[in-house]
Amino acid sequence: MISKDKLAKLLPQALDETNLPLSNRQSGKVRDWYDLPNGQRLIVTTDRLSAFDIVLARVPFKGQVLNQLSSWWFAQTQDIIPNHIVSLPDPNASVVCVAEPILVEVIVRGYITGVTATALWYRYSLGERDIYGYQFPEGLQKNALLPEPIITPTTKGGTTGHDERLTCTEVVEKGLLDAKTWDRVQAAALSVFKRGQELARKAGLILVDTKYEFGIAADGSLVLIDEVHTPDSSRFWKADSYEARFSVGEDPENFDKEFVRIAYADEGYRGDGEIPEMPAELWTSASERYITIYELLTGEAFVPGAYPIEPRLIENLKEAGVI
Ligand SMILES: Nc1ncnc2c1ncn2[C@@H]1O[C@H](COP(=O)(O)OP(=O)(O)OP(=O)(O)O)[C@@H](O)[C@H]1O
Ligand SMILES: [Mg+2]
């Protein structure tokens, strides 16, 4: 593991944005991407950390972890569904096939938890018992295992709105997807989630819930795109302490980026008003956490790429013939 001191020194060098010698950069909260002349896309995962829909900080090695961990999961699930990965020319970059993203974010949940507006536990705690079209019994406890994983779709918020909750029937009724494609999406999502739970369990973790994005490739086939089972797109809990904590009503030990949200909430920030300044220690801890989760899940040692990232990235892209 890289020392805290080293991580602290790297904080100012964490990758904020890229300016590659390609013409058409686009950016999301975490990724920059460029359309390549051959019709493929170069996605660079930066070190930006977002929560509450805001970029809060840059965390050394976060981009590398997300890129390499997603790639690992794509490989572990390609027998279930094809994915967008073509190659990884750099620890922070993937060349992918461009797909037409479907307009639904496919969230799969194995437990009832969460305190944001779209979370199951939050809705349940408001007294709702019909949530996302599913009936929930009385007397459930926060963080309880559901009888089986369920899909709780939302609309893809895009640049304007927030994600809107949908039921599985509404996906088709609202014309977001035809029934046949939606059936295939649901089946694939549940199988990938099951594989994720099995592999996470071997790593001593519980895959609690996650978000998938699917797209339609140029040949019309359904593909898994974006990222898979990363600490950004998923909740992970420590498996060995879950039961004991659950039985006394304590929250599980989380192993994702939830602790960043909690640190902000402790300062009174939940997404509105002035953003509090956080100590560098929070971001070096975040870095350690991302690296640890990579190593736990993949069972491989994390090999840190050189900083600063951009010159290295350009070198690697040239070598791979991408630029
Ligand atoms: N193979 C692909 N083809 C087309 N679009 C893709 C592909 N893979 C990922 N994307 C899109 O690229 C973007 C990745 O950027 P990033 O993760 O930074 O976005 P974001 O700010 O999280 O926004 P979003 O909420 O849409 O994910 C997402 O909008 C995702 O839908
Ligand atoms: Mg995203």
Side-chain angles (χ1 to χ4, degrees):
M1 178 60 82
I2 307 153
S3 73
K4 268 246 152 100
D5 265 7
K6 177 115 194 277
L7 292 173
K9 287 204 185 87
L10 287 177
L11 277 173
Q13 286 188 37
L15 185 63
D16 184 22
E17 57 167 23
T18 60
N19 288 289
L20 298 177
L22 288 162
S23 55
N24 47 0
R25 185 185 73 185
Q26 291 172 270
S27 300
K29 287 186 286 292
V30 173
R31 295 172 178 79
D32 290 353
W33 62 93
Y34 303 79
D35 288 319
L36 298 171
N38 67 359
Q40 294 174 338
R41 179 174 290 183
L42 175 71
I43 299 183
V44 181
T45 308
T46 71
D47 289 330
R48 300 193 289 267
L49 182 143
S50 87
F52 313 105
D53 274 343
I54 306 162
V55 176
L56 294 168
R58 284 113 207 117
V59 171
F61 302 112
K62 173 177 182 281
Q64 180 179 345
V65 165
L66 293 196
N67 189 54
Q68 293 183 332
L69 183 58
S70 271
S71 161
W72 184 82
W73 278 115
F74 279 126
Q76 304 303 315
T77 54
Q78 64 187 353
D79 60 316
I80 300 170
I81 177 160
N83 59 65
H84 69 169
I85 295 287
V86 176
S87 62
L88 263 67
D90 178 89
N92 283 69
S94 294
V95 173
V96 305
C97 299
V98 182
E100 188 61 50
I102 67 163
L103 299 172
V104 181
E105 301 213 330
V106 185
I107 293 132
V108 184
R109 303 174 191 268
Y111 293 75
I112 181 165
T113 189
V115 293
T116 60
T118 51
L120 281 185
W121 177 252
Y122 178 71
R123 310 303 323 177
Y124 189 87
S125 67
L126 292 179
E128 294 178 20
R129 293 295 176 266
D130 179 343
I131 313 169
Y132 289 98
Y134 299 93
Q135 297 303 318
F136 289 81
E138 290 300 321
L140 285 185
Q141 206 185 309
K142 187 182 179 199
N143 305 321
L145 175 69
L146 297 171
E148 55 185 354
I150 61 170
I151 295 177
T152 61
T154 61
T155 56
K156 227 169 123 50
T159 44
T160 47
H162 281 288
D163 301 347
E164 223 182 280
R165 289 184 292 141
L166 295 165
T167 65
C168 284
T169 35
E170 278 170 344
V171 170
V172 177
E173 280 167 9
K174 291 191 180 223
L176 294 165
L177 222 53
D178 65 86
K180 203 173 145 214
T181 309
W182 178 230
D183 279 350
R184 286 167 55 215
V185 167
Q186 291 184 88
L190 291 173
S191 300
V192 173
F193 189 72
K194 185 162 175 269
R195 178 72 52 83
Q197 285 197 315
E198 287 163 6
L199 293 175
R201 194 48 86 120
K202 283 192 188 156
L205 298 171
I206 295 173
L207 173 61
V208 180
D209 48 36
T210 195
K211 179 202 75 168
Y212 300 115
E213 293 191 32
F214 291 85
I216 308 295
D219 66 359
S221 60
L222 183 70
V223 286
L224 191 55
I225 63 170
D226 203 49
E227 62 181 327
V228 176
H229 302 162
T230 70
D232 275 19
S233 68
S234 319
R235 266 195 192 88
F236 291 98
W237 293 337
K238 269 192 135 165
D240 59 7
S241 60
Y242 167 78
E243 285 298 340
R245 295 175 75 107
F246 177 72
S247 63
V248 295
E250 266 178 40
D251 279 332
E253 291 179 82
N254 64 72
F255 229 73
D256 46 47
K257 71 171 185 184
E258 188 73 9
F259 83 107
V260 171
R261 294 191 197 95
I262 293 169
Y264 275 86
D266 287 348
E267 297 294 311
Y269 184 78
R270 286 186 174 72
D272 291 311
E274 202 177 316
I275 307 171
E277 195 58 40
M278 292 307 225
E281 211 278 324
L282 180 66
W283 308 122
T284 51
S285 301
S287 183
E288 284 182 330
R289 189 163 291 217
Y290 276 86
I291 293 169
T292 303
I293 204 163
Y294 171 90
E295 294 192 329
L296 285 175
L297 286 168
T298 65
E300 290 159 21
F302 179 75
V303 182
Y307 272 71
I309 290 182
E310 193 144 21
R312 176 203 86 200
L313 176 60
I314 291 174
E315 203 53 41
N316 281 334
L317 291 176
K318 280 186 183 153
E319 208 162 290
V322 177
I323 56 174

